[in-house]
């Protein structure tokens, strides 16, 4: 019997983490060591207007201005990750949103190890297939999730696709 179908998720390494290249490299190693396939990757930055669009669902929340100001404050790494149950696995690896809570209940999680505060919590991850597709499209408009599943997913799942990581260019 073959492996289950892979699932895609968006992962962001946020500006607070990106300010520390050694920590950024450590988190990329954690991602690889936990069996994630990095399908696409790019270092990018977004402006305030783009940040507001990305976090639109939180517009009425008290932290919206702080969150959008922060996420647009510097470069991030955006990645399309694939793995069986990748959304749940990535969210578990990140740990709770609130860094102090992560340190208490998930001390080995990325946010516990590298987060600074509730907003500056090192990482972001999609919370559902629907949000993953939308968020991937936001950062990778040329990436077609449906097409990837039709033409590439089985190759990655069955390890018939060669993946080469280049920290400057993403995947080659």
């Amino acid at each position: 019997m073959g492996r289950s179908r892979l699932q895609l998720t968006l992962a962001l390494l946020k500006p607070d983490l990106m300010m520390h290249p050694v920590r950024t490299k450590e988190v990329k190693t954690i991602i690889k060591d936990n069996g994630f396939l990095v399908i696409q990757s790019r270092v990018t930055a977004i402006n305030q207007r783009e940040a507001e669009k990305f976090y639109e669902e939180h517009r009425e929340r008290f932290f919206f201005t702080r969150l959008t100001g922060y996420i647009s404050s510097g470069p991030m790494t955006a990645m399309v990750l694939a793995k069986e149950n990748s959304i749940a696995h990535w969210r578990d690896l990140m740990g709770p949103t609130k860094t102090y809570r992560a340190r208490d209940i998930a001390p080995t999680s990325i946010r516990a190890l590298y987060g600074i505060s509730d907003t500056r919590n090192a990482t972001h991850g999609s919370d559902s297939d629907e949000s993953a597709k939308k968020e991937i499209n936001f950062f990778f408009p040329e990436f077609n999730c449906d097409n990837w599943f039709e033409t590439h997913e089985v190759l990655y799942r069955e390890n018939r696709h060669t993946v080469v990581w280049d920290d400057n260019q993403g995947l080659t």
Side-chain angles (χ1 to χ4, degrees), residues 30-157:
I30 290 168
I31 290 167
K32 290 179 204 171
D33 289 351
N34 278 273
F36 287 94
L37 300 171
V38 181
I39 307 303
Q40 293 276 316
S41 178
R42 76 170 40 120
V43 174
T44 188
I46 59 177
N47 62 38
Q48 181 72 31
R49 182 185 51 76
E50 291 167 325
E52 290 172 2
K53 181 178 178 188
F54 184 73
Y55 283 115
E56 180 64 35
E57 68 190 66
H58 299 301
R59 183 169 294 278
E60 301 304 319
R61 307 286 298 271
F62 72 92
F63 56 81
F64 181 75
T65 301
R66 183 170 29 117
L67 177 62
T68 57
Y70 158 65
I71 204 73
S72 62
S73 69
M76 327 178 246
T77 298
M79 294 179 280
V80 178
L81 302 181
K83 182 178 177 174
E84 293 176 39
N85 299 311
S86 68
I87 292 171
H89 285 274
W90 176 238
R91 293 181 71 78
D92 186 54
L93 195 58
M94 287 190 303
T97 301
K98 297 177 188 258
T99 300
Y100 74 88
R101 184 165 165 70
R103 289 183 182 133
D104 185 43
I105 66 171
T108 61
S109 69
I110 293 169
R111 288 175 170 158
L113 296 171
Y114 302 102
I116 298 168
S117 68
D118 294 353
T119 304
R120 298 175 184 268
N121 60 4
T123 57
H124 168 85
S126 305
D127 62 7
S128 68
D129 283 321
E130 181 180 300
S131 67
K133 191 173 182 178
K134 182 182 91 176
E135 292 176 353
I136 289 167
N137 186 254
F138 185 91
F139 284 97
F140 301 92
E142 73 289 350
F143 186 84
N144 183 310
C145 292
D146 294 332
N147 182 57
W148 185 85
F149 278 108
E150 290 173 17
T151 61
H152 291 83
E153 185 274 341
V154 69
L155 299 174
Y156 282 90
R157 180 173 16 108

Side-chain angles (χ1 to χ4, degrees), residues 151-170:
T151 61
H152 291 83
E153 185 274 341
V154 69
L155 299 174
Y156 282 90
R157 180 173 16 108
E158 295 177 359
N159 297 314
R160 290 188 287 153
H161 189 281
T162 303
V163 179
V164 178
W165 178 268
D166 178 336
D167 281 327
N168 297 319
Q169 301 296 319

